[in-house]
Amino acid sequence: MPHFVTMSKRKRPDLKVPAPYMTEQEKILYNLIQSKQDLGIWSWDIKRETSLPDNVVDKSLKSLRSKLLIKEVVNVQFKGRKHYLASEFEPSSEITGGKWYNDQGFLETEFINFLKDQCLKHIRNLKIATVDTVANAVRRSRVLKIDCSSQEIGDIVRALVLDNDVIEMRSNGLGEFASVPTGRMCYKCRRSPDAMKEPRVGVMAWIPCGVCPRIARCMPGGTISPMTCEYYSKWLDF
C-alpha cells in the first residue's frame, strides 16, 4: 500500500511554553504572521504590510524560524514563493492541497487514482449512489488508514463525472431512485463492469485536470486557477 495511507496529523505545539525573547522587529513580523492563522502569508506580503527594510525582514524571519516560532510551508499554488505560518497552526487545505498533495506539494496521482477506482466500485455496487453513501462505503471497506471526509469523496466522484465514468443526476424519488430523496444529487456508472477494465481514454484523461479532484473549484482568478497551475502549464508546454 502506498505511503500516503499512513499519514497522521501532528499535534499542535504546547502554547503554554514561554515564548523566546523577540526584538521589536521580530514581534511585528510574528504578530502579522500569527494573525493570518492557518492561511499564513507570503514573504513579499510581509514586507509590504510591515514596510520594514528587506534585510531586516529576512534577518527577522530567519531568527523566528530558529526559535521555532514560525515555519516555512509549501503553497501548492505558488511553490516558488516563501510562505510562512505561525508554528501553532497547521496549514489549511488551500495551502497544502489537502490529501491530494504530498509534503513536497506534488499531486498524489497514485492515491487519487486508487480512490477513484474504489469510488467507482462502490457506485457500481450501489447502482444509484450519493456522495454520502459512497463515502460511507469507502469507510466501511477500511481500505484506507486515513479518513476521507464526504467533501473529499465528493471531489473524487465529481472527477469521475469529468472522466465520463459516472453520470450525475437528480433523484425523482421513483423507481431506481426510490432510496434517494427527491432532488438529491446522485450518481450511477456510465459504463459496464467489463468496460471499466479498459484504460480510461476520455478527453480528460489526457490532461492533468483529469486526475485533479479539485477541478470543480478551479476557475480563472480563483485560489485554484488554470493560470497558477504548474501541472497545466507543463502540459501546455509539452
Side-chain angles (χ1 to χ4, degrees), residues 76-137:
V76 296
Q77 296 299 315
F78 307 101
K79 292 182 184 175
R81 297 181 179 182
K82 290 189 175 181
H83 206 87
Y84 294 97
L85 205 71
S87 294
E88 63 260 36
F89 295 103
E90 291 297 329
S92 71
S93 60
E94 290 182 45
I95 301 300
T96 65
K99 291 182 176 68
W100 316 135
Y101 290 81
N102 61 25
D103 291 340
Q104 288 73 46
F106 295 106
L107 197 65
E108 284 277 20
T109 306
E110 185 182 357
F111 179 41
I112 292 166
N113 286 333
F114 175 77
L115 202 47
K116 277 185 176 183
D117 289 339
Q118 292 298 310
C119 290
L120 197 56
K121 178 183 73 174
H122 292 302
I123 294 171
R124 183 174 74 246
N125 291 339
L126 292 164
K127 303 294 191 279
I128 297 293
T130 64
V131 167
D132 286 337
T133 57
V134 176
N136 289 335

Side-chain angles (χ1 to χ4, degrees), residues 23 34-35 65 107 124 137 146 148 155-156 161 202 237:
T23 66
Q34 189 183 47
S35 71
R65 288 186 66 189
L107 197 65
R124 183 174 74 246
I146 56 171
C148 283
D155 288 340
I156 295 294
V161 173
D237 291 341

Side-chain angles (χ1 to χ4, degrees), residues 7-203:
M7 289 168 54
S8 61
K9 266 196 169 182
R10 290 177 298 172
K11 293 182 179 180
R12 290 183 177 182
D14 187 351
L15 302 184
K16 295 180 182 179
V17 176
Y21 169 78
M22 289 185 279
T23 66
E24 286 304 313
Q25 291 86 356
E26 289 171 3
K27 287 179 183 177
I28 293 171
L29 265 62
Y30 177 73
N31 289 336
L32 173 62
I33 295 169
Q34 189 183 47
S35 71
K36 304 302 180 180
Q37 300 184 24
D38 61 352
L39 289 176
I41 185 170
W42 177 27
S43 58
W44 187 87
D45 286 332
I46 293 175
K47 294 172 182 178
R48 179 178 57 83
E49 293 192 31
T50 61
S51 299
L52 292 171
D54 288 1
N55 64 322
V56 172
V57 171
D58 292 340
K59 181 179 179 181
S60 298
L61 288 173
K62 184 177 180 180
S63 176
L64 289 171
R65 288 186 66 189
S66 70
K67 295 171 183 175
L68 303 180
L69 292 172
I70 64 170
K71 55 189 174 184
E72 186 176 343
V73 295
V74 175
N75 186 328
V76 296
Q77 296 299 315
F78 307 101
K79 292 182 184 175
R81 297 181 179 182
K82 290 189 175 181
H83 206 87
Y84 294 97
L85 205 71
S87 294
E88 63 260 36
F89 295 103
E90 291 297 329
S92 71
S93 60
E94 290 182 45
I95 301 300
T96 65
K99 291 182 176 68
W100 316 135
Y101 290 81
N102 61 25
D103 291 340
Q104 288 73 46
F106 295 106
L107 197 65
E108 284 277 20
T109 306
E110 185 182 357
F111 179 41
I112 292 166
N113 286 333
F114 175 77
L115 202 47
K116 277 185 176 183
D117 289 339
Q118 292 298 310
C119 290
L120 197 56
K121 178 183 73 174
H122 292 302
I123 294 171
R124 183 174 74 246
N125 291 339
L126 292 164
K127 303 294 191 279
I128 297 293
T130 64
V131 167
D132 286 337
T133 57
V134 176
N136 289 335
V138 170
R139 292 188 192 106
R140 286 196 301 270
S141 70
R142 298 187 177 182
V143 295
L144 303 177
K145 293 183 181 178
I146 56 171
D147 184 46
C148 283
S149 67
S150 292
Q151 181 178 336
E152 290 165 338
I153 293 297
D155 288 340
I156 295 294
V157 171
R158 283 182 284 275
L160 288 170
V161 173
L162 292 170
D163 282 347
N164 216 26
D165 287 333
V166 166
I167 303 170
E168 183 180 62
M169 61 194 79
R170 288 193 183 276
S171 170
N172 59 12
L174 303 173
E176 63 179 348
F177 299 101
S179 63
V180 181
T182 302
R184 178 78 62 85
M185 193 66 73
C186 53
Y187 304 86
K188 66 183 296 185
C189 286
R190 183 183 295 274
R191 300 188 288 169
S192 67
D194 288 339
M196 285 183 204
K197 295 175 184 177
E198 301 170 3
R200 295 190 183 103
V201 292
V203 63

